[in-house]
Amino acid sequence: MDIAAWLQRLGLEQYEQAFRSNDIDAEVLPEFTADDLISIGVTSVGHRRKLLAAIAALRDIPADDNSAPATVSGPADAPNGSVSSSAERRQLTVMFCDLVGSTALAARLDPEDLREVIAAYHRAVAEIVTGFDGFVANYMGDGV
Protein backbone atom coordinates (compact mmCIF):
# COMPACT_ATOMS: atom_id res chain seq x y z
CA MET A 1 0.00 0.00 0.00
CA ASP A 2 1.26 3.45 -0.94
CA ILE A 3 0.82 5.64 2.17
CA ALA A 4 1.42 8.86 0.20
CA ALA A 5 -1.33 7.99 -2.30
CA TRP A 6 -3.65 6.96 0.55
CA LEU A 7 -3.10 10.29 2.32
CA GLN A 8 -3.66 12.14 -0.95
CA ARG A 9 -7.00 10.33 -1.53
CA LEU A 10 -8.00 11.48 1.96
CA GLY A 11 -6.98 15.05 1.14
CA LEU A 12 -4.36 14.95 3.92
CA GLU A 13 -1.16 14.83 1.89
CA GLN A 14 0.41 17.45 4.19
CA TYR A 15 1.10 14.60 6.67
CA GLU A 16 3.10 12.50 4.19
CA GLN A 17 6.47 13.63 5.57
CA ALA A 18 5.36 12.94 9.17
CA PHE A 19 4.30 9.42 8.23
CA ARG A 20 7.52 8.85 6.27
CA SER A 21 9.87 10.20 8.97
CA ASN A 22 8.13 8.03 11.60
CA ASP A 23 8.33 4.87 9.43
CA ILE A 24 4.55 4.47 9.22
CA ASP A 25 3.78 1.82 6.62
CA ALA A 26 0.88 -0.52 5.77
CA GLU A 27 1.95 -2.94 8.51
CA VAL A 28 1.96 -0.31 11.27
CA LEU A 29 -0.99 1.78 10.08
CA PRO A 30 -3.87 -0.52 11.19
CA GLU A 31 -2.67 -0.31 14.80
CA PHE A 32 -2.39 3.49 14.81
CA THR A 33 -4.25 5.35 17.57
CA ALA A 34 -5.31 8.95 18.15
CA ASP A 35 -2.41 9.29 20.57
CA ASP A 36 -0.01 8.13 17.86
CA LEU A 37 -1.42 10.70 15.43
CA ILE A 38 -0.96 13.45 18.00
CA SER A 39 2.62 12.35 18.62
CA ILE A 40 3.52 12.68 14.91
CA GLY A 41 1.95 16.14 14.69
CA VAL A 42 -1.65 15.67 13.55
CA THR A 43 -3.08 18.39 15.78
CA SER A 44 -6.41 18.92 14.00
CA VAL A 45 -9.23 16.94 15.62
CA GLY A 46 -11.02 16.77 12.27
CA HIS A 47 -7.95 15.38 10.52
CA ARG A 48 -7.41 12.82 13.30
CA ARG A 49 -11.03 11.67 13.05
CA LYS A 50 -10.76 11.39 9.26
CA LEU A 51 -7.51 9.42 9.51
CA LEU A 52 -8.83 7.13 12.26
CA ALA A 53 -11.98 6.36 10.24
CA ALA A 54 -9.88 5.53 7.19
CA ILE A 55 -7.53 3.40 9.32
CA ALA A 56 -10.52 1.51 10.74
CA ALA A 57 -11.69 0.84 7.19
CA LEU A 58 -8.24 -0.60 6.40
CA ARG A 59 -8.71 -3.25 9.08
CA ASP A 60 -11.59 -4.68 7.06
CA ILE A 61 -9.54 -5.07 3.86
CA PRO A 62 -7.94 -8.49 3.18
CA ALA A 63 -4.14 -8.45 3.53
CA ASP A 64 -3.59 -9.20 -0.19
CA ASP A 65 -5.77 -6.28 -1.32
CA ASN A 66 -3.49 -3.33 -2.13
CA SER A 67 -6.29 -0.82 -2.51
CA ALA A 68 -7.28 1.48 0.31
CA PRO A 69 -10.60 3.25 0.58
CA ALA A 70 -10.52 7.03 0.62
CA THR A 71 -13.43 7.20 3.01
CA VAL A 72 -15.50 4.91 5.14
CA SER A 73 -18.59 3.81 3.24
CA GLY A 74 -21.94 3.63 4.93
CA PRO A 75 -25.45 2.40 4.16
CA ALA A 76 -26.01 5.20 1.65
CA ASP A 77 -23.27 3.67 -0.52
CA ALA A 78 -25.10 0.36 -0.89
CA PRO A 79 -26.76 -0.32 -4.28
CA ASN A 80 -30.38 0.86 -4.54
CA GLY A 81 -30.11 2.34 -1.04
CA SER A 82 -30.39 -1.11 0.53
CA VAL A 83 -28.37 -2.07 3.58
CA SER A 84 -26.00 -5.00 3.25
CA SER A 85 -27.17 -8.19 4.97
CA SER A 86 -23.67 -8.76 6.35
CA ALA A 87 -24.15 -6.08 9.00
CA GLU A 88 -23.46 -7.13 12.55
CA ARG A 89 -24.16 -5.72 15.96
CA ARG A 90 -21.27 -4.98 18.25
CA GLN A 91 -21.13 -4.03 21.88
CA LEU A 92 -20.00 -0.48 22.46
CA THR A 93 -18.88 0.90 25.77
CA VAL A 94 -18.43 4.65 26.11
CA MET A 95 -16.42 6.13 28.94
CA PHE A 96 -15.52 9.68 29.90
CA CYS A 97 -12.57 10.34 32.23
CA ASP A 98 -11.92 13.65 33.92
CA LEU A 99 -8.88 14.71 35.93
CA VAL A 100 -10.20 15.45 39.42
CA GLY A 101 -8.96 18.71 40.90
CA SER A 102 -7.67 20.10 37.62
CA THR A 103 -9.21 23.54 38.22
CA ALA A 104 -7.33 23.93 41.50
CA LEU A 105 -4.22 22.55 39.82
CA ALA A 106 -4.55 25.12 37.01
CA ALA A 107 -4.63 27.90 39.59
CA ARG A 108 -1.40 26.64 41.23
CA LEU A 109 0.72 25.67 38.21
CA ASP A 110 2.39 27.57 35.44
CA PRO A 111 0.50 26.98 32.15
CA GLU A 112 3.41 25.05 30.59
CA ASP A 113 3.69 22.83 33.66
CA LEU A 114 -0.06 22.24 33.66
CA ARG A 115 0.11 21.29 29.99
CA GLU A 116 2.79 18.69 30.79
CA VAL A 117 0.69 17.26 33.64
CA ILE A 118 -2.40 16.99 31.44
CA ALA A 119 -0.37 15.49 28.58
CA ALA A 120 0.99 12.84 30.96
CA TYR A 121 -2.57 12.18 32.16
CA HIS A 122 -3.76 11.81 28.54
CA ARG A 123 -0.93 9.37 27.79
CA ALA A 124 -1.68 7.30 30.90
CA VAL A 125 -5.39 7.09 30.12
CA ALA A 126 -4.73 6.26 26.46
CA GLU A 127 -2.30 3.50 27.47
CA ILE A 128 -4.86 1.91 29.78
CA VAL A 129 -7.69 2.23 27.25
CA THR A 130 -5.64 0.72 24.42
CA GLY A 131 -4.52 -2.05 26.78
CA PHE A 132 -8.16 -3.14 26.84
CA ASP A 133 -8.41 -2.86 23.02
CA GLY A 134 -10.18 0.46 23.41
CA PHE A 135 -9.96 3.63 21.39
CA VAL A 136 -9.66 7.22 22.60
CA ALA A 137 -12.04 9.24 20.47
CA ASN A 138 -11.36 12.71 21.83
CA TYR A 139 -9.32 14.75 24.26
CA MET A 140 -11.16 17.77 25.75
CA GLY A 141 -9.00 19.77 28.11
CA ASP A 142 -8.54 17.52 31.12
CA GLY A 143 -11.17 15.08 29.85
CA VAL A 144 -10.67 11.95 27.78
Side-chain angles (χ1 to χ4, degrees):
M1 176 179 140
D2 182 1
I3 297 292
W6 178 75
L7 286 167
Q8 188 171 13
R9 283 193 302 272
L10 292 171
L12 300 171
E13 57 275 356
Q14 68 266 35
Y15 298 114
E16 178 184 348
Q17 184 58 42
F19 275 68
R20 184 177 295 130
S21 64
N22 286 282
D23 301 313
I24 310 305
D25 58 15
E27 184 179 331
V28 175
L29 194 58
E31 304 305 318
F32 233 51
T33 66
D35 204 37
D36 294 331
L37 290 170
I38 291 168
S39 71
I40 67 166
V42 181
T43 58
S44 165
V45 174
H47 289 175
R48 283 197 307 270
R49 286 185 180 264
K50 187 183 276 191
L51 283 164
L52 289 169
I55 290 168
L58 291 176
R59 292 183 188 117
D60 298 330
I61 298 175
D64 60 347
D65 186 348
N66 290 328
S67 65
T71 61
V72 177
S73 61
D77 295 330
N80 300 328
S82 64
V83 177
S84 170
S85 63
S86 66
E88 65 181 80
R89 292 178 184 253
R90 295 183 185 183
Q91 180 177 347
L92 174 68
T93 303
V94 178
M95 177 178 74
F96 178 80
C97 295
D98 187 48
L99 184 60
V100 175
S102 63
T103 304
L105 194 61
R108 286 191 353 242
L109 293 178
D110 180 69
E112 287 81 14
D113 294 336
L114 178 65
R115 187 182 63 132
E116 289 178 20
V117 168
I118 291 179
Y121 166 72
H122 285 170
R123 285 190 301 274
V125 171
E127 183 179 319
I128 292 168
V129 168
T130 55
F132 286 98
D133 294 327
F135 169 82
V136 175
N138 201 2
Y139 297 93
M140 297 177 286
D142 68 332
V144 180

